[in-house]
Amino acid sequence: MTTLFIHNAQIISFQDGFINGTCDSIAINENIIEAVGKYEELKSRIQPTTQVIDAKGKTLMPGFNDSHIHIWKVGNLKTFMLDVRGVQSKEALLQSLLDYHQQNPHLQWITSRGFNEVAWEDKALPTRNDLDKVCTTKPIYLIRTCAHIAVCNSFALQIAGINSQTKSPDGGTVQMDAAGEPTGILNETALGLVASKIPPYSVEDLKIMIRACRNEMHSYGITAATDPAADPLLIKAYKEMDTAGELGFRLNILPIILPDGSETPYPIPEKYSSNFMQINTVKFFADGGLSGKTSALKRTYKNSSEQGVLRLDKKQYLHLSRQCMEKGLGVATHAIGDAAIEMVLEVYQQLNSIFPSLIKRIEHLGLPEKKHLETMRSNNIACSMQTIFLDELGKNFIQYLDDDYLQQCYPVNSVLQHNILMALSSDAPVVKNFNPLKGITAALTRKTKEGKIIAAKESISTTDALKACTLNAALIGQENRFGSLQKGCLADFILLDKNPLTTEEKEMNSIKVLHTYINGKEVWSLK
């Protein structure tokens, strides 16, 4: 029986063979789509108890799916951690930290995230000496926006036992000054030396963060998401919410296997599947972040001798990946630089010869070469990419990458031309604005926040960008229950005030989500 009937809508489906503009109505039975078609064909399904909604010509489409977003970290910046994204100088950063310290005397640690030194006049990372000006009686742990670099004050270094004798761990760096003393700057796996000393959040704390992020996701029309680095405690929080029926969005979890600062892997998780949540793929980190020069490159960064950090031991990576696949789990690997991508693909090719049907995906794929794309196509390797980085971090890319690298930076068009399954995502809170329409705009324009264009030839169409945020984002997790509007799919959809397919690029960001539906029930409405 039809419980919800929406008509007079412009419907975008992404169903194979669907022709836009041919359907204006959708019939829902509880949480399942019964039919999509013309009003005259479907109106007989309306019963006295059916809720009927006139969409008044607005656009109905599948809910957005953010295939790479650190949900709890987004929520953490809304609840337990100081958000310094957007600070325009080192002085403003230090003042924010001081104000936060003075306003929260009960906190054992001062933790913060989000600075981007490239936006500052001197473009220099803060050091322990800077943070000591804020506080010397309480540890400070300050994470760069990319989360691949952190800065600590002297107290935090002391707690972690970091001194002039400390050796950098494999896949990371403890930076020393000219006198051989730690500067307080850590990158990649070295972050774990200090992060492991911070009192852990409780399961209930994590649930508060998840709920805070969920509310913002609903406002952007995001009905499904992938959390791409979950440790056992976070998985416990998610499972408890799922069991209690309070998750509120479709969730794909990628459990992390190698924690920062430890050579001991987490136990390989069991596969998990429910109506709202699944675990079928694990996560590794092959390199760092492009905006902080820690992504592993074959050449050096511009005006630098640096080539980034390759975090994984190839032998251990292959061994652990194979163990995971023997348990039926796919593998997703963070790889941005061309050197990291090449190493990951060498491992994936070996795995594909043994486990051809299991998921193999690359997270980010920032600087692939043509030969890498050909290897991905021939080995059925998918990817989740972030064109939103061009907008928020493009200034960093222009400063750090030579012209050749810039022309292959997040090459979404080339990826699609090679028939590679590609999803778009945000990687929030690396970026502050994770509205999918913002990332779609960046995929169309390739513009930085400052108006510079990076690799114009890598622009894609609105249709391809929308599909990458809906259907493709579901398919890379081997999910076919949502991502399109067709009979038998789950009733997860959104109503927009304008049709993105007929909206000019410059107006795309002005589109508003009017209503968000999950399981055929409204979970958010624009007031």
Side-chain angles (χ1 to χ4, degrees), residues 64-76 113 147 201 205-214 217 222-239 241 247 249-257 266 269 276-285 329-334 361 363-364 384 386 424-430 434 473-474 476-477 482:
F64 289 122
N65 184 337
D66 193 325
S67 60
H68 189 116
I69 174 174
H70 300 273
I71 295 164
W72 75 274
K73 293 180 181 180
V74 173
N76 195 3
R113 175 174 177 173
Y201 293 114
D205 290 338
L206 291 168
K207 289 179 183 178
I208 290 170
M209 300 175 201
I210 293 164
R211 294 185 193 106
C213 180
R214 177 187 64 197
M217 289 197 302
I222 298 171
T223 58
T226 294
D227 194 321
D231 64 15
L233 192 68
L234 180 59
I235 294 171
K236 177 178 171 62
Y238 278 135
K239 283 185 174 179
M241 292 181 73
L247 199 53
F249 57 96
R250 313 288 174 193
L251 175 64
N252 182 28
I253 299 176
L254 306 183
I256 189 72
I257 297 299
Y266 285 127
F276 274 90
M277 193 175 109
Q278 72 170 6
I279 299 174
N280 64 12
T281 305
V282 298
K283 171 76 178 293
F284 292 91
F285 284 88
L329 295 163
V331 174
T333 308
H334 168 122
R361 53 186 274 189
E363 307 304 297
H364 308 302
S384 176
Q386 297 78 30
L424 289 178
S425 56
S426 69
D427 198 19
V430 172
F434 64 94
I476 66 169
F482 50 85

Side-chain angles (χ1 to χ4, degrees), residues 315-465:
K315 185 176 179 180
Q316 182 190 35
Y317 172 44
L318 176 59
H319 174 69
L320 290 173
S321 295
R322 180 163 182 163
Q323 284 187 319
C324 293
M325 288 195 161
E326 286 170 349
K327 293 188 68 171
L329 295 163
V331 174
T333 308
H334 168 122
I336 295 179
D338 51 359
I341 292 168
E342 190 153 304
M343 188 269 282
V344 169
L345 289 178
E346 289 171 358
V347 169
Y348 278 2
Q349 284 178 292
Q350 294 183 60
L351 294 171
N352 195 54
S353 66
I354 309 168
F355 309 100
S357 63
L358 292 180
I359 295 169
K360 288 164 282 288
R361 53 186 274 189
I362 293 181
E363 307 304 297
H364 308 302
L365 197 73
L367 294 170
E369 300 172 358
K370 187 176 187 294
K371 69 176 183 178
H372 297 152
L373 301 183
E374 292 168 351
T375 298
M376 290 178 69
R377 175 179 58 195
S378 60
N379 287 270
N380 197 30
I381 297 167
C383 59
S384 176
M385 301 178 73
Q386 297 78 30
T387 49
I388 185 61
F389 285 177
L390 300 172
D391 177 85
E392 291 207 16
L393 302 173
K395 187 173 184 178
N396 297 57
F397 301 163
I398 290 171
Q399 176 170 327
Y400 293 150
L401 299 177
D402 61 35
D403 290 341
D404 287 341
Y405 269 139
L406 276 177
Q407 292 309 308
Q408 68 185 79
C409 188
Y410 291 93
V412 287
N413 184 47
S414 292
V415 169
L416 291 179
Q417 291 300 314
H418 279 79
N419 294 315
I420 295 167
L421 180 60
M422 185 275 292
L424 289 178
S425 56
S426 69
D427 198 19
V430 172
V431 298
K432 188 167 187 175
N433 186 343
F434 64 94
N435 184 339
L437 290 164
K438 186 75 172 176
I440 288 169
T441 300
L444 306 182
T445 67
R446 307 285 302 184
K447 285 185 178 179
T448 70
K449 196 182 298 273
E450 296 75 29
K452 303 289 186 180
I453 295 177
I454 297 176
K457 63 182 173 56
E458 294 298 342
S459 172
I460 59 176
S461 69
T462 303
T463 298
D464 284 338

Side-chain angles (χ1 to χ4, degrees), residues 134-236:
V134 175
C135 181
T136 58
T137 59
K138 186 181 292 188
I140 300 177
Y141 184 64
L142 171 63
I143 307 171
R144 192 179 181 278
T145 188
C146 62
H148 292 271
I149 297 173
V151 186
C152 311
N153 69 347
S154 296
F155 199 151
L157 293 174
Q158 180 182 343
I159 290 174
I162 296 175
N163 54 46
S164 60
Q165 304 304 309
T166 301
K167 302 298 183 184
S168 294
D170 291 341
T173 305
V174 177
Q175 188 184 99
M176 300 292 178
D177 62 21
E181 296 295 329
T183 64
I185 299 172
L186 313 170
N187 74 37
E188 300 307 330
T189 60
L191 271 66
L193 301 177
V194 176
S196 62
K197 305 300 180 183
I198 301 174
Y201 293 114
S202 69
V203 167
E204 293 308 313
D205 290 338
L206 291 168
K207 289 179 183 178
I208 290 170
M209 300 175 201
I210 293 164
R211 294 185 193 106
C213 180
R214 177 187 64 197
N215 294 339
E216 187 170 0
M217 289 197 302
H218 286 170
S219 73
Y220 294 148
I222 298 171
T223 58
T226 294
D227 194 321
D231 64 15
L233 192 68
L234 180 59
I235 294 171
K236 177 178 171 62

